[in-house]
């Protein structure tokens, strides 16, 4: 791994546990100033303690619930006030939603938490970001994205299809960001099937998480950390990675016209310029 870390500022969303926390610990160990974003205050504080134990310095903590877009807007304002430059934005926050749910903003929850919220945050910070890494998933294979109907999953809700659609959106968003923002290298990646808090409210999912050979969060975070550190000249801008290698996502996650449509639809839905 070519180590480009130094005293960079790295913002990690979904940093309270799982891949996000593992990445934050690793990056802080390498000398980066990590900034943790999470939803639950207690777990966020605990994550901050874990990072401090690693690097001897307590990271900045920002609470934001991606199911509430006003939280995302406030987060962007606070980050802009705090940092002139964000060397790496790791859009890692996400959720598998087991029951159909509509947010206070009127969007299907997994689509908002996994795509629209990070899309909004990234756009509001675009002039400050040096590099963007997006946690996607091989689950994009189950996606059925229709940019003209971002709430389509609510009509016949299937948790993994809704999740897969949001992950399909992650890959398309990353590729389109690379096209629209040539000065901001952007990459998405599949972390593998990782043992995290996902699905904890379901006994069946929780049992599977205990019994099946899932990856550790540290293993899942390896590609995120690698993408944050590599010289961009050695990477494919807008590319999708798994186990530190470029991979070809399914065609529905690699269609530039669909990516452009998704960007336009997302910007319109959020009331920002596309």
């Amino acid at each position: 791994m070519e180590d480009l870390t130094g005293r960079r500022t790295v913002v990690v969303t979904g940093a309270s546990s799982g891949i996000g926390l593992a990445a934050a610990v690793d990056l802080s160990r390498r000398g980066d100033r990590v900034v943790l974003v999470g939803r639950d205050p207690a777990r966020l504080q605990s994550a901050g303690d874990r990072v401090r134990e690693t690097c001897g310095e307590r990271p900045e903590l920002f609470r934001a619930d991606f199911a509430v877009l006003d939280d995302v807007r406030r987060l962007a304002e606070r980050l802009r006030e705090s940092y002139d430059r964000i060397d790496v934005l790791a859009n890692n926050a996400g959720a598998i939603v087991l029951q159909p749910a509509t947010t206070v903003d009127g969007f299907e929850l997994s689509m908002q938490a996994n795509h629209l919220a990070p899309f909004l945050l990234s756009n509001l910070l675009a002039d400050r970001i040096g590099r963007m890494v997006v946690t996607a998933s091989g689950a994009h294979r189950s996606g059925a994205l229709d940019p003209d109907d971002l709430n389509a999953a609510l009509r016949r809700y299937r948790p993994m299809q809704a999740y897969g659609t949001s992950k399909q959106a992650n890959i398309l968003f990353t590729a389109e960001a690379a096209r629209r923002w040539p000065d901001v290298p952007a990459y998405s990646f599949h972390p593998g099937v990782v043992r995290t808090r996902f699905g904890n409210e379901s006994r069946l999912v929780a049992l599977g998480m205990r019994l099946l050979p899932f990856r550790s969060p540290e293993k899942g975070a390896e590609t995120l950390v690698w993408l944050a550190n590599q010289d961009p000249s050695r990477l494919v801008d807008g590319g999708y990675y798994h186990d530190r290698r470029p991979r070809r996502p399914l065609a529905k996650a690699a269609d530039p016209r669909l990516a452009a449509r998704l960007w336009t639809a997302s910007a319109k839905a959020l009331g920002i310029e596309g």
Side-chain angles (χ1 to χ4, degrees), residues 9 13 42 88 90 93 95 119 144 152 164 176 202 223-224 231 240 263 266-267:
T9 297
T13 70
V88 181
F119 177 91
E176 185 67 6
S202 165
T223 299
L224 190 164
D231 189 313
Y240 172 68
W263 189 288
S266 300

Side-chain angles (χ1 to χ4, degrees), residues 177-197:
R179 187 184 73 81
R180 290 175 180 250
W181 301 337
D183 295 331
V184 182
Y187 318 102
S188 65
F189 74 101
H190 170 46
V193 183
V194 177
R195 188 185 303 277
T196 70
R197 292 173 52 87

